[in-house]
């Protein structure tokens, strides 16, 4: 397959993924799922608790979103699997009829480390809501995701922090591989019981910034099964960006070319562009909505804090290159007024804009890949983005 040309259309048995073209290591593909088609590169907004904060499913669809992310850990605690099961799963519960990917809860083991204890069988943790004691295992993670009814389900893994020692990272790799076997067995049991209701199981490779451990994790993961996609975990968790780029450069040739590659928890615009350059297909992050709620917008000229006094009388749109409802209908001056007045509309509009910005960004990246000039496009885009917004 040469740069920008059509691929051979080969698909994996489980995921129906094909590559439409490449440009260097950057890839443009299509993942067909029963609830919808996903064009890659793609960004998945995070709906941790069954909602992308402040945005409706209709607004997300209008923004071009093709797949959302939910979280097994948080949904297990609230509203709980009993409610989700009684009400027909997460799609029906939240009113979203497109694909959903669920994180297994493994990242929460890392991010909420102060309230949990990890051993080879699973994780004992106290709820961050009420302090109640719970036990999360690979089997329970798969059970939760089955009740949620997600279309892509992530294996339960251990995600070490970026500064973890080699010994700790080695333990996390071994534990994640052992848990993967248990996740696979549990997932297959759910498929046997409900053959029409099963999602795809993606493993997660670990290894932090240790290149040899990363490559070993990939080799042993691929030896354990014919997976429909691969999650790359344990990056963007505190390590320097150049370390992330180095690891992606090293592992890309070892990853199957005929399956989607999902870099977990990455979603700042420049990070997405750099990761696509290194062969990544799928992304998720809370960054667009979290930044939007705090008054920071992603623009083609970099991040912009709309609360700045210099925007008080600025009649320009947030981003003249953007086609979202926020940029089409409102000025920077009005948006600043909403934020300094603590009006909820402001955070909704910036959240919507930031989500649409990332959806457009991945669409632009896909177009550049199909043209065969991704490297040139990415260099030009990053130069403008990193220059920062001009003064009004």
């Amino acid at each position: 397959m040469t740069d920008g040309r059509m691929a051979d259309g080969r698909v994996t048995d489980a995921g129906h993924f094909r590559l439409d073209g490449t440009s260097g290591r950057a890839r443009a593909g299509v993942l067909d799922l029963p609830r919808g088609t996903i064009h890659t590169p793609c960004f998945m907004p995070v709906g941790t608790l069954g909602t992308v904060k402040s945005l409706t499913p209709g607004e997300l669809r209008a923004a071009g979103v093709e797949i959302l992310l939910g979280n097994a850990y948080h949904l297990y605690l609230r509203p709980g699997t009993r409610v989700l099961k009684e009400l027909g799963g997460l799609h029906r519960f939240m009113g979203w009829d497109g694909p959903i990917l669920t994180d297994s809860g493994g990242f929460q083991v890392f991010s909420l480390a102060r309230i949990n204890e990890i051993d080879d069988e699973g994780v004992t943790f106290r709820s961050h809501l009420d302090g109640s004691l719970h036990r999360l295992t690979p089997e329970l993670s798969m059970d939760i995701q089955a009740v949620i009814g997600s279309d892509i389900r992530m294996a339960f893994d251990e995600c070490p922090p970026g500064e973890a020692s080699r010994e700790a990272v080695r333990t996390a790799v071994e534990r994640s591989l052992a848990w993967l076997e248990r996740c696979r067995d549990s997932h297959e049991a759910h498929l046997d019981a409900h053959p029409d209701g099963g999602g795809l199981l993606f493993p997660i490779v670990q290894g932090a910034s240790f290149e040899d451990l990363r490559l070993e994790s990939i080799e042993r993961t691929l030896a354990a099964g014919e997976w429909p996609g691969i999650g790359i975990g344990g990056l963007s968790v505190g390590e320097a960006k150049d370390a992330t780029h180095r690891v992606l450069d090293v592992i890309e040739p070892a990853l199957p070319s005929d399956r989607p590659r999902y870099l977990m928890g990455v979603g700042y615009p420049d990070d997405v562009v750099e990761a696509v350059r290194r062969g990544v297909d799928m992304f998720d992050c809370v960054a667009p909505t979290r930044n939007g709620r705090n008054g920071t917008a992603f623009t083609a000229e970099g991040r912009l804090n709309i609360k700045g006094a210099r925007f008080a009388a600025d009649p320009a749109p947030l981003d003249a290159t953007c086609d979202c409802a926020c940029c089409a209908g409102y000025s920077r001056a009005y948006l600043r007024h909403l934020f300094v007045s603590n009006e909820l509309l402001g955070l909704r509009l910036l959240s919507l804009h930031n989500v649409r910005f990332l959806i457009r960004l991945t669409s632009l990246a896909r177009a550049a890949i199909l043209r065969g000039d991704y490297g040139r496009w990415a260099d030009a885009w990053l130069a403008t983005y990193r220059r920062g917004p001009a003064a009004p």
Side-chain angles (χ1 to χ4, degrees):
M1 182 166 34
T2 57
D3 282 7
R5 293 188 182 179
M6 295 296 290
D8 62 5
R10 185 161 53 113
V11 299
T12 59
D13 290 339
H16 301 287
F17 179 74
R18 75 170 188 268
L19 282 180
D20 287 340
T22 62
S23 181
R25 290 184 173 183
R27 299 140 49 89
V30 174
L31 177 60
D32 285 317
L33 298 172
R35 287 190 174 94
T37 298
I38 301 160
H39 298 83
T40 65
C42 78
F43 177 77
M44 300 178 283
V46 175
T48 300
L49 285 163
T51 174
V52 177
K53 291 190 184 300
S54 83
L55 302 179
T56 68
E59 289 170 328
L60 295 169
R61 277 294 192 195
V65 174
E66 294 179 336
I67 179 172
L68 300 180
L69 183 142
N71 184 267
Y73 169 92
H74 289 284
L75 291 166
Y76 163 72
L77 292 177
R78 186 168 57 189
T81 51
R82 181 186 63 80
V83 171
L84 288 169
K85 188 172 184 178
E86 289 180 359
L87 296 181
L90 183 59
H91 295 84
R92 186 176 298 176
F93 187 58
M94 68 177 291
W96 170 260
D97 61 0
I100 293 175
L101 179 150
T102 42
D103 190 2
S104 66
F107 181 75
Q108 282 62 48
V109 172
F110 155 68
S111 63
L112 301 174
R114 66 189 182 280
I115 56 174
N116 69 52
E117 294 182 3
I118 308 171
D119 57 53
D120 288 343
E121 293 304 308
V123 182
T124 301
F125 68 94
R126 292 196 176 275
S127 166
H128 65 285
L129 300 175
D130 60 11
S132 57
L133 195 64
H134 299 267
R135 179 75 169 162
L136 186 57
T137 64
E139 292 79 10
L140 179 56
S141 176
M142 290 295 100
D143 291 348
I144 296 167
Q145 293 182 77
V147 171
I148 288 171
S150 49
D151 305 271
I152 300 175
R153 304 168 189 181
M154 303 307 297
F156 190 59
D157 66 324
E158 181 181 353
C159 177
E163 71 278 5
S165 67
R166 182 181 177 85
E167 180 182 5
V169 173
R170 161 61 73 185
T171 298
V173 168
E174 295 292 342
R175 191 169 278 154
S176 296
L177 286 164
W179 288 353
L180 176 59
E181 293 186 18
R182 294 164 58 188
C183 287
R184 180 192 58 209
D185 292 344
S186 180
H187 178 69
E188 290 176 352
H190 285 293
L191 294 183
D192 289 342
H194 304 283
D196 297 327
L200 307 179
L201 174 62
F202 281 21
I204 302 172
V205 297
Q206 289 291 345
S209 299
F210 298 97
E211 297 173 12
D212 59 330
L213 294 182
R214 280 281 173 186
L215 292 171
E216 179 184 341
S217 178
I218 292 171
E219 181 181 4
R220 293 171 62 186
T221 296
L222 296 178
E226 184 70 16
W227 312 106
I230 302 289
I232 305 168
L235 289 176
S236 195
V237 290
E239 78 284 358
K241 286 190 178 185
D242 61 350
T244 298
H245 298 163
R246 171 176 52 80
V247 169
L248 291 175
D249 282 333
V250 167
I251 68 174
E252 192 279 335
L255 295 170
S257 63
D258 61 348
R259 278 161 266 182
R261 303 152 174 185
Y262 164 32
L263 181 57
M264 306 178 72
V266 170
Y268 280 94
D270 50 338
D271 295 336
V272 169
V273 171
E274 291 286 14
V276 169
R277 192 199 299 270
R278 292 163 171 84
V280 175
D281 305 305
M282 302 171 67
F283 303 87
D284 82 280
C285 194
V286 298
T289 49
R290 178 175 290 171
N291 278 266
R293 295 196 305 276
N294 290 308
T296 297
F298 301 153
T299 78
E301 298 180 333
R303 280 186 264 178
L304 180 153
N305 186 344
I306 198 63
K307 293 183 285 188
R310 65 193 180 108
F311 300 117
D314 188 346
L318 195 58
D319 183 342
T321 69
C322 183
D323 60 1
C324 76
C326 174
C327 293
Y330 305 97
S331 68
R332 292 177 175 184
Y334 181 64
L335 294 169
R336 178 184 182 273
H337 163 71
L338 292 176
F339 270 91
V340 299
S341 302
N342 293 318
E343 288 289 342
L344 293 177
L345 180 59
L347 65 87
R348 273 184 28 80
L349 288 173
L350 254 66
S351 296
L352 177 62
H353 163 78
N354 284 348
V355 168
R356 176 58 185 159
F357 184 89
L358 283 169
I359 298 300
R360 287 184 62 247
L361 177 61
T362 51
S363 294
L364 291 170
R366 178 181 172 84
I369 294 166
L370 294 175
R371 290 194 307 268
D373 67 348
Y374 183 80
R376 182 199 60 79
W377 173 86
D379 289 343
W381 191 93
L382 287 167
T384 300
Y385 181 81
R386 289 167 175 167
R387 191 179 305 132

